[in-house]
Amino acid sequence: MDGGGTALHCALNLELFQPWPALSHLVDEYPMVIAIASYLTVLLQVAFPFVLFGRLKYPVLTVLLGMHIGIAVLLGLPLFSGAMIIADAVFLPDRFYAFLPRLWRHAARRTGVWRPSGGIRIGTSAGQAQRTQPEASSHSGRAAGHCACVLDLGDSETRLRALIGYPRPRGLPLSGGHADTGSA
């Protein structure tokens, strides 16, 4: 980028980076916005390591997400933008990734794409899964009453717990039949 902030202007006028020429020409009609976007891009990329552990991390990540979506649409570089969005997503907190499945289910229910089926029974209007007491015949020989609150998932419970990293409740027998006393 030169001193005038014209890097985006130059890229928008290259035929190689014009997947939608009309959109590129429309954006190119606003030179002040292009100059601000060019300087803001450089500023955010340079400042990001310094705000990584501060309060400005999430606003900067939001602007970087918007910038990479803009690069994908305006310049026709979706693979680059996708890779950069994934690389930036590394800095999001764990609670964001824990929230994503709930957000996905909520959106799927609203659009009518998802229908509950299988061992999980949807109970209340808040969408909470109905919690049931495990039966003595299920869960590979575990006695009923060992776990006070378990989703009744049948044979897939162990695989689901392993997949999401949910710890096995104390007191449940191991595969060899020995009970875990909880003492280390």
Side-chain angles (χ1 to χ4, degrees):
M1 176 172 85
D2 63 6
T6 59
L8 185 56
H9 167 75
C10 294
L12 286 173
N13 286 309
L14 291 173
E15 191 173 322
L16 179 65
F17 297 118
Q18 289 183 346
W20 296 283
L23 182 61
S24 297
H25 293 300
L26 176 70
V27 172
D28 195 39
E29 291 178 4
Y30 300 97
M32 183 60 75
V33 173
I34 289 177
I36 291 171
S38 296
Y39 280 116
L40 186 64
T41 300
V42 173
L43 175 70
L44 287 177
Q45 293 294 334
V46 170
F48 186 68
F50 300 107
V51 300
L52 192 58
F53 300 108
R55 287 182 279 165
L56 293 176
K57 176 172 77 169
Y58 301 122
V60 169
L61 281 171
T62 304
V63 174
L64 287 175
L65 173 70
M67 179 186 73
H68 289 301
I69 290 172
I71 288 171
V73 173
L74 287 175
L75 300 178
L77 297 170
L79 293 177
F80 166 76
S81 296
M84 293 308 298
I85 288 170
I86 290 170
D88 289 341
V90 168
F91 299 106
L92 292 171
D94 291 340
R95 66 182 179 271
F96 174 79
Y97 294 108
F99 175 71
L100 282 180
R102 190 169 29 147
L103 179 67
W104 176 257
R105 283 191 302 271
H106 179 71
R109 281 188 200 124
R110 287 181 57 109
T111 59
V113 174
W114 184 71
R115 299 280 185 247
S117 63
I120 299 177
R121 293 182 297 269
I122 305 301
T124 65
S125 62
Q128 297 290 331
Q130 182 178 358
R131 299 180 187 277
T132 61
Q133 190 74 4
E135 298 174 11
S137 62
S138 65
H139 308 299
S140 62
R142 293 183 205 155
H146 278 253
C147 185
C149 188
V150 174
L151 288 175
D152 185 14
L153 298 174
D155 296 333
S156 62
E157 178 186 356
T158 306
R159 285 180 280 164
L160 180 66
R161 286 182 183 275
L163 178 68
I164 62 174
Y166 193 77
R168 182 177 52 83
R170 293 175 185 231
L172 290 179
L174 299 172
S175 60
H178 301 7
D180 181 18
T181 61
S183 60

